[in-house]
Amino acid sequence: MKNYFTQNWKVWAGFGLAAVLLFAVAPAVLSDFRLNLLGKFLCFGMVAVGIGLAWGRGGMLTLGQGVFFGLGAYIMAMHLKVADAAFRGDDVPDFMQIAGIRELPAYWQPFASPVVTVLGILVLPTLLAVLLGLGVFKRKVKGAYFAILSQALAAAFAILLIGQQSTGGSNGLNRFRGFFGLALNDPVNRRMLFFVAAATLLVLVAITRQLMYSRYGELLVAVRDQEERVRFLGYDPANVKVAAFAVAALFASVAGALFVPIVGIISPADVGIVPSIAFLIGVAIGGRSTLLGPVLGAVAVAWAQTSLSESFPSGWTYAQGLLFIVVVGFFPAGLAGILSALKARRTRAESTAPPVKNDDAPTPIGATS
């Protein structure tokens, strides 16, 4: 055990530093509004962690993560709306009363239970990803075809939500008052939500690191680089891909579930094609093949979007597209890849440097000067 901690001291130091920044520094220097905004960005970082595993290690260009993010978010939102209605003594949420719906839809009723809600957030998106992955990867669909298929799924999901009055239509679900018995208008509870998001992100990063550096992680990279060789060795590449795809879906669902109480709204605009591409842009900029690159890239892009869109509302979209083109075209490994390349170049330079001659060293006996 002691040897394990000695060999991984850098990893533990990194997690310790992240914990100090998130749990001590951020609450001390940020206002309640900015801290809540950072919690929103951390949710995007959770999605990015899963994309980094599926895309960076598995080579699956997942353009439909908005579907799984939306599933987790809407399941949580339905529970919160039902709980708010029960607290007021109503049979249906407020927006349903306005729309003339007098009875709670059948698919809403199970999510009145907190236990069923949590299980639904963890199981339903993961099960959907497994079924979708088996149907796609067993047929050897990959590359651009898989990307287009996942993007079409995100578009269809957003269109479906817009046409449903029972999920708020294009307005979505909002105005949540409580979160598992806690009042969301209480600053203490909102700060607690930030801590929950920060702890969840650290746990997801730790799980992803374990997967990346395990035997499964090596097999996933092998499937990405030489799928036919892996099949020749007796492994089924489809099963390997499905596992990574399901893990990414699970992470996105958890992020969506935490996004709802932190931000206070979920709508089709948050789960369609544009958000799915935005998730991918952050991962690409940060470095999809690294562990922390996707998280830092997603948080940085979200922060830049919020900051720049306040000053240049119409210019952020163009800046985001230009940044994505520059990174993909000239730095395909992302910003983290640039740092790794500089470090490798420095290591090569040091290893190939000629030995330094020490003029003060004594001349061996018999040697000519």
Side-chain angles (χ1 to χ4, degrees):
M1 182 63 69
K2 182 178 179 180
N3 189 33
Y4 173 80
F5 284 100
T6 303
Q7 293 176 352
N8 297 274
W9 69 270
K10 291 183 178 180
V11 176
W12 294 105
F15 276 100
L17 177 61
V20 170
L21 292 175
L22 291 174
F23 291 97
V25 177
V29 301
L30 297 178
S31 63
D32 290 340
F33 172 76
R34 294 295 176 184
L35 193 67
N36 188 71
L37 203 59
L38 179 58
K40 171 185 173 181
F41 300 159
L42 295 183
C43 293
F44 295 154
M46 298 175 202
V47 184
V49 172
I51 296 177
L53 179 67
W55 183 29
R57 293 285 173 154
M60 294 168 281
L61 187 58
T62 54
L63 285 174
Q65 290 304 98
V67 174
F68 308 111
F69 180 84
L71 282 174
Y74 268 90
I75 290 174
M76 176 61 76
M78 286 190 290
H79 169 73
L80 297 184
K81 295 301 289 184
V82 172
D84 290 346
F87 181 77
R88 296 192 307 268
D90 297 331
D91 295 329
V92 296
D94 48 6
F95 76 95
M96 289 187 183
Q97 297 178 11
I98 298 174
I101 301 175
R102 299 295 178 237
E103 185 177 354
L104 194 66
Y107 71 94
W108 275 68
Q109 295 176 7
F111 300 119
S113 168
V115 177
V116 175
T117 299
V118 173
L119 290 177
I121 292 169
L122 299 177
V123 175
L124 290 181
T126 307
L127 181 60
L128 176 62
V130 170
L131 295 176
L132 180 63
L134 290 175
V136 171
F137 299 130
K138 289 292 185 180
R139 289 173 172 78
K140 300 182 181 180
V141 177
K142 56 184 178 180
Y145 299 102
F146 172 74
I148 294 173
L149 180 62
S150 60
Q151 191 175 53
L153 183 64
F157 182 61
I159 294 173
L160 177 64
L161 291 173
I162 291 175
Q164 298 295 320
Q165 285 189 345
S166 59
T167 56
S170 59
N171 295 324
L173 303 176
N174 51 44
R175 298 176 62 187
F176 310 109
R177 301 183 182 277
F179 176 74
F180 294 102
L182 301 176
L184 288 176
N185 58 358
D186 189 342
V188 175
N189 293 335
R190 299 198 65 83
R191 180 163 291 208
M192 180 272 298
L193 277 175
F194 168 79
F195 292 142
V196 171
T200 303
L201 177 60
L202 291 178
V203 170
L204 297 186
V205 170
I207 294 174
T208 304
R209 184 189 180 278
Q210 185 64 30
L211 290 174
M212 283 184 173
Y213 294 97
S214 65
R215 183 178 180 83
Y216 169 78
E218 297 176 355
L219 188 60
L220 184 61
V221 174
V223 169
R224 179 196 66 187
D225 297 336
Q226 295 291 340
E227 183 172 333
E228 294 304 322
R229 288 191 178 184
V230 172
R231 182 177 287 107
F232 177 77
L233 293 174
Y235 296 97
D236 189 347
N239 294 336
V240 179
K241 290 183 177 181
V242 167
F245 188 52
V247 170
L250 173 61
F251 288 2
S253 178
V254 172
L258 290 174
F259 176 88
V260 167
I262 290 175
V263 178
I265 185 174
I266 185 65
S267 69
D270 300 315
V271 303
I273 294 178
V274 175
S276 298
I277 295 177
F279 292 146
L280 208 70
I281 290 176
V283 175
I285 291 174
R288 64 180 185 268
S289 299
T290 60
L291 179 62
L292 296 180
V295 178
L296 298 178
V299 173
V301 169
W303 173 82
Q305 180 179 5
T306 301
S307 301
L308 296 180
S309 60
E310 293 175 356
S311 304
F312 309 99
S314 60
W316 164 247
T317 303
Y318 299 101
Q320 187 181 39
L322 178 61
L323 183 62
F324 183 64
I325 292 173
V326 170
V327 170
V328 173
F330 298 96
F331 310 104
L335 299 180
I338 298 176
L339 298 177
S340 299
L342 293 176
K343 183 178 180 180
R345 183 176 179 181
R346 180 179 178 181
T347 302
R348 288 196 301 268
E350 292 177 353
S351 62
T352 57
V356 179
K357 184 177 179 181
N358 188 0
D359 295 333
D360 296 333
T363 303
I365 299 176
T368 59
S369 58

